[in-house]
PDB file of all heavy atoms in Angstrom:
ATOM      1  N   THR B  89       7.229  33.485  42.389  1.00 92.00           N
ATOM      2  CA  THR B  89       8.426  34.172  41.907  1.00 92.00           C
ATOM      3  C   THR B  89       9.412  33.178  41.313  1.00 92.00           C
ATOM      4  O   THR B  89      10.039  33.432  40.276  1.00 92.00           O
ATOM      5  CB  THR B  89       9.096  34.949  43.065  1.00 92.00           C
ATOM      6  OG1 THR B  89       8.147  35.883  43.583  1.00 92.00           O
ATOM      7  CG2 THR B  89      10.331  35.699  42.590  1.00 92.00           C
ATOM      8  N   ARG B  90       9.539  32.013  41.972  1.00 93.00           N
ATOM      9  CA  ARG B  90      10.489  31.012  41.461  1.00 93.00           C
ATOM     10  C   ARG B  90      10.062  30.518  40.081  1.00 93.00           C
ATOM     11  O   ARG B  90      10.890  30.370  39.180  1.00 93.00           O
ATOM     12  CB  ARG B  90      10.590  29.849  42.452  1.00 93.00           C
ATOM     13  CG  ARG B  90      11.339  30.231  43.708  1.00 93.00           C
ATOM     14  CD  ARG B  90      11.562  29.064  44.606  1.00 93.00           C
ATOM     15  NE  ARG B  90      10.311  28.563  45.189  1.00 93.00           N
ATOM     16  CZ  ARG B  90      10.251  27.680  46.172  1.00 93.00           C
ATOM     17  NH1 ARG B  90      11.361  27.169  46.657  1.00 93.00           N
ATOM     18  NH2 ARG B  90       9.090  27.286  46.653  1.00 93.00           N
ATOM     19  N   THR B  91       8.770  30.269  39.920  1.00 93.00           N
ATOM     20  CA  THR B  91       8.293  29.804  38.613  1.00 93.00           C
ATOM     21  C   THR B  91       8.512  30.873  37.550  1.00 93.00           C
ATOM     22  O   THR B  91       8.960  30.569  36.432  1.00 93.00           O
ATOM     23  CB  THR B  91       6.792  29.455  38.696  1.00 93.00           C
ATOM     24  OG1 THR B  91       6.606  28.470  39.704  1.00 93.00           O
ATOM     25  CG2 THR B  91       6.279  28.928  37.372  1.00 93.00           C
ATOM     26  N   PHE B  92       8.214  32.130  37.907  1.00 94.00           N
ATOM     27  CA  PHE B  92       8.329  33.208  36.915  1.00 94.00           C
ATOM     28  C   PHE B  92       9.787  33.471  36.548  1.00 94.00           C
ATOM     29  O   PHE B  92      10.134  33.537  35.358  1.00 94.00           O
ATOM     30  CB  PHE B  92       7.663  34.474  37.457  1.00 94.00           C
ATOM     31  CG  PHE B  92       7.683  35.619  36.486  1.00 94.00           C
ATOM     32  CD1 PHE B  92       7.081  35.511  35.246  1.00 94.00           C
ATOM     33  CD2 PHE B  92       8.316  36.799  36.813  1.00 94.00           C
ATOM     34  CE1 PHE B  92       7.111  36.561  34.334  1.00 94.00           C
ATOM     35  CE2 PHE B  92       8.344  37.860  35.919  1.00 94.00           C
ATOM     36  CZ  PHE B  92       7.745  37.732  34.677  1.00 94.00           C
ATOM     37  N   VAL B  93      10.648  33.612  37.563  1.00 96.00           N
ATOM     38  CA  VAL B  93      12.066  33.873  37.274  1.00 96.00           C
ATOM     39  C   VAL B  93      12.681  32.676  36.544  1.00 96.00           C
ATOM     40  O   VAL B  93      13.472  32.837  35.599  1.00 96.00           O
ATOM     41  CB  VAL B  93      12.838  34.193  38.577  1.00 96.00           C
ATOM     42  CG1 VAL B  93      14.330  34.295  38.318  1.00 96.00           C
ATOM     43  CG2 VAL B  93      12.330  35.497  39.179  1.00 96.00           C
ATOM     44  N   GLY B  94      12.291  31.472  36.959  1.00 96.00           N
ATOM     45  CA  GLY B  94      12.789  30.278  36.276  1.00 96.00           C
ATOM     46  C   GLY B  94      12.379  30.243  34.818  1.00 96.00           C
ATOM     47  O   GLY B  94      13.182  29.888  33.938  1.00 96.00           O
ATOM     48  N   SER B  95      11.145  30.640  34.545  1.00 96.00           N
ATOM     49  CA  SER B  95      10.706  30.625  33.138  1.00 96.00           C
ATOM     50  C   SER B  95      11.357  31.768  32.347  1.00 96.00           C
ATOM     51  O   SER B  95      11.608  31.616  31.147  1.00 96.00           O
ATOM     52  CB  SER B  95       9.176  30.697  33.045  1.00 96.00           C
ATOM     53  OG  SER B  95       8.689  31.828  33.705  1.00 96.00           O
ATOM     54  N   LEU B  96      11.662  32.881  33.016  1.00 97.00           N
ATOM     55  CA  LEU B  96      12.408  33.955  32.331  1.00 97.00           C
ATOM     56  C   LEU B  96      13.792  33.456  31.903  1.00 97.00           C
ATOM     57  O   LEU B  96      14.193  33.603  30.739  1.00 97.00           O
ATOM     58  CB  LEU B  96      12.588  35.160  33.260  1.00 97.00           C
ATOM     59  CG  LEU B  96      11.446  36.143  33.438  1.00 97.00           C
ATOM     60  CD1 LEU B  96      11.830  37.183  34.483  1.00 97.00           C
ATOM     61  CD2 LEU B  96      11.098  36.825  32.143  1.00 97.00           C
ATOM     62  N   ILE B  97      14.505  32.858  32.870  1.00 97.00           N
ATOM     63  CA  ILE B  97      15.861  32.360  32.565  1.00 97.00           C
ATOM     64  C   ILE B  97      15.778  31.206  31.568  1.00 97.00           C
ATOM     65  O   ILE B  97      16.562  31.120  30.612  1.00 97.00           O
ATOM     66  CB  ILE B  97      16.569  31.925  33.866  1.00 97.00           C
ATOM     67  CG1 ILE B  97      16.748  33.129  34.796  1.00 97.00           C
ATOM     68  CG2 ILE B  97      17.916  31.284  33.565  1.00 97.00           C
ATOM     69  CD1 ILE B  97      17.252  32.778  36.182  1.00 97.00           C
ATOM     70  N   GLY B  98      14.807  30.320  31.791  1.00 96.00           N
ATOM     71  CA  GLY B  98      14.641  29.196  30.878  1.00 96.00           C
ATOM     72  C   GLY B  98      14.263  29.650  29.471  1.00 96.00           C
ATOM     73  O   GLY B  98      14.707  29.062  28.484  1.00 96.00           O
ATOM     74  N   GLY B  99      13.447  30.680  29.375  1.00 96.00           N
ATOM     75  CA  GLY B  99      13.062  31.209  28.067  1.00 96.00           C
ATOM     76  C   GLY B  99      14.253  31.781  27.319  1.00 96.00           C
ATOM     77  O   GLY B  99      14.409  31.569  26.113  1.00 96.00           O
ATOM     78  N   TRP B 100      15.092  32.489  28.064  1.00 96.00           N
ATOM     79  CA  TRP B 100      16.309  33.028  27.454  1.00 96.00           C
ATOM     80  C   TRP B 100      17.202  31.875  26.972  1.00 96.00           C
ATOM     81  O   TRP B 100      17.721  31.881  25.846  1.00 96.00           O
ATOM     82  CB  TRP B 100      17.036  33.913  28.472  1.00 96.00           C
ATOM     83  CG  TRP B 100      18.234  34.636  27.949  1.00 96.00           C
ATOM     84  CD1 TRP B 100      18.725  34.627  26.667  1.00 96.00           C
ATOM     85  CD2 TRP B 100      19.116  35.491  28.699  1.00 96.00           C
ATOM     86  NE1 TRP B 100      19.850  35.406  26.579  1.00 96.00           N
ATOM     87  CE2 TRP B 100      20.104  35.952  27.798  1.00 96.00           C
ATOM     88  CE3 TRP B 100      19.148  35.903  30.025  1.00 96.00           C
ATOM     89  CZ2 TRP B 100      21.124  36.805  28.213  1.00 96.00           C
ATOM     90  CZ3 TRP B 100      20.165  36.763  30.430  1.00 96.00           C
ATOM     91  CH2 TRP B 100      21.130  37.211  29.537  1.00 96.00           C
ATOM     92  N   GLY B 101      17.356  30.876  27.843  1.00 97.00           N
ATOM     93  CA  GLY B 101      18.186  29.732  27.463  1.00 97.00           C
ATOM     94  C   GLY B 101      17.605  28.962  26.297  1.00 97.00           C
ATOM     95  O   GLY B 101      18.337  28.544  25.391  1.00 97.00           O
TER      96      GLY B 101
END
Side-chain angles (χ1 to χ4, degrees):
Chain B
T89 301
R90 288 186 292 191
T91 303
F92 182 60
V93 173
S95 57
L96 280 176
I97 297 172
W100 185 2

